[in-house]
Amino acid sequence: MTTIRENISAIRRTLPAGVTLICVSKFNPVESIREAYSIGERDFGESHVQELLLKHEALPSDIRWHMIGHLQTNKVRAIVPFIHLIQSVDSIRLMQTIQKESARISRTVDILLEVHVAREEAKSGFLPEELPAALEAAQLMPNINIRGLMGMATQTKSEEEIRHCFSVIRNLAKANKALLPSSPILSMGMSGDYLTAIAEGSNMVRIGSTIFGERDYSRKAPIENQETITQP
Ligand SMILES: *Cc1c(COP(=O)(O)O)cnc(C)c1O
């Protein structure tokens, strides 16, 4: 059994300078996050609001929390006071809610727009053709700050197809560059495909199981009502 520290060191050795590592800690206990924190990790990703809130309460305040799972509008208020980056923004309605809740507490919240480029219907995100309208809409929302794009590749063994998904995201950033920051965040790549993602221009990778081991879904992570867990 390798330890969390060893896993992180091994991953960090493969990351070029300029690529941010997000340790995806969903379904993993607070002690595991502490271990990663103790060797300097500060960026952690969670996909359920209830679990995120409990961990935020329990852990040091200099952790940068990333919301990476589908976010319901009625859960926005709870996370806007502290969230570092909402990566999974997938509708204009959600953008409007984040705008409203951030303005209410005089904060500006950084977000990524999630794009849907994978073949699976179940994945969420803006379709490529919906992206310009979403970016236009954001122009009128002073309390949200779009930092870039996030996306996932199709689950397939075909390296070619995975690479294609990431290149579509990179090209979407290029095609929409007038409405994105000059050096946009491209959050692409997970345990199984992050090296391919980096080769296609990713500068932020979200890695869970290679760091923390296979997730124990029976550990009864706090799961919100009416939300089903989709196995990655
Ligand atoms: C769970 C999750 C990850 C991490 O997946 P691993 O395969 O465990 O590295 C990355 N991104 C998102 C959006 C996720 O939900």
Side-chain angles (χ1 to χ4, degrees):
M1 269 283 282
T2 54
T3 65
I4 290 169
R5 290 154 194 258
E6 288 165 343
N7 295 340
I8 290 173
S9 306
I11 291 166
R12 283 222 168 263
R13 281 195 291 275
T14 67
L15 297 183
V19 175
T20 302
L21 171 63
I22 311 300
C23 300
V24 175
S25 46
K26 63 187 184 193
F27 291 97
N28 281 284
V30 161
E31 308 85 76
S32 298
I33 300 178
R34 281 194 204 282
E35 185 173 346
Y37 182 91
S38 74
I39 56 164
E41 297 303 326
R42 291 296 179 272
D43 290 277
F44 292 89
E46 290 286 334
S47 56
H48 291 89
V49 168
Q50 202 55 42
E51 184 175 357
L52 172 58
L53 293 176
L54 291 173
K55 287 174 173 172
H56 170 251
E57 277 289 298
L59 286 157
S61 60
D62 61 342
I63 287 181
R64 296 183 288 268
W65 292 104
H66 297 249
M67 179 64 193
I68 63 169
H70 177 68
L71 177 59
Q72 295 173 289
T73 53
N74 63 353
K75 303 276 165 58
V76 169
R77 180 172 292 191
I79 67 169
V80 289
F82 68 89
I83 199 76
H84 179 70
L85 181 64
I86 304 178
Q87 301 205 7
S88 44
V89 176
D90 58 2
S91 72
I92 292 180
R93 194 167 84 94
L94 179 57
M95 287 164 56
Q96 287 164 337
T97 306
I98 298 169
Q99 161 59 31
K100 189 179 86 196
E101 295 297 338
S102 314
R104 206 176 62 89
I105 58 165
S106 306
R107 224 201 132 191
T108 301
V109 170
D110 284 351
I111 69 168
L112 304 180
L113 297 189
E114 181 175 355
V115 287
H116 185 159
V117 299
R119 249 185 310 133
E120 294 96 2
E121 293 277 329
K123 291 213 164 87
S124 48
F126 291 99
L127 295 173
E129 59 269 28
E130 295 170 339
L131 210 49
L135 289 165
E136 284 291 346
Q139 301 292 299
L140 304 171
M141 303 182 194
N143 297 76
I144 66 176
N145 187 14
I146 297 190
R147 299 287 312 277
L149 305 178
M150 184 270 250
M152 276 180 273
T154 302
Q155 270 184 58
T156 167
K157 290 202 166 60
S158 162
E159 167 90 19
E160 207 44 46
E161 192 173 351
I162 292 170
R163 184 176 288 273
H164 174 73
C165 288
F166 293 137
S167 79
V168 169
I169 299 170
R170 174 168 41 85
N171 286 323
L172 277 170
K174 216 179 276 174
N176 291 283
K177 69 172 195 254
L179 293 173
L180 283 168
S182 55
S183 303
I185 294 174
L186 290 182
S187 175
M188 322 191 285
M190 328 198 327
S191 288
D193 57 17
Y194 77 91
L195 290 174
T196 307
I198 290 170
E200 290 298 325
S202 169
N203 51 28
M204 181 174 279
V205 292
R206 310 175 310 271
I207 300 185
S209 44
T210 303
I211 294 175
F212 297 108
E214 287 305 314
R215 282 178 284 278
D216 181 2
Y217 291 99
S218 69
R219 212 184 58 81
K220 204 69 196 132
I223 293 164
E224 295 145 85
N225 296 339
Q226 291 153 19
E227 276 203 37
T228 48
I229 296 297
T230 42
Q231 212 92 7

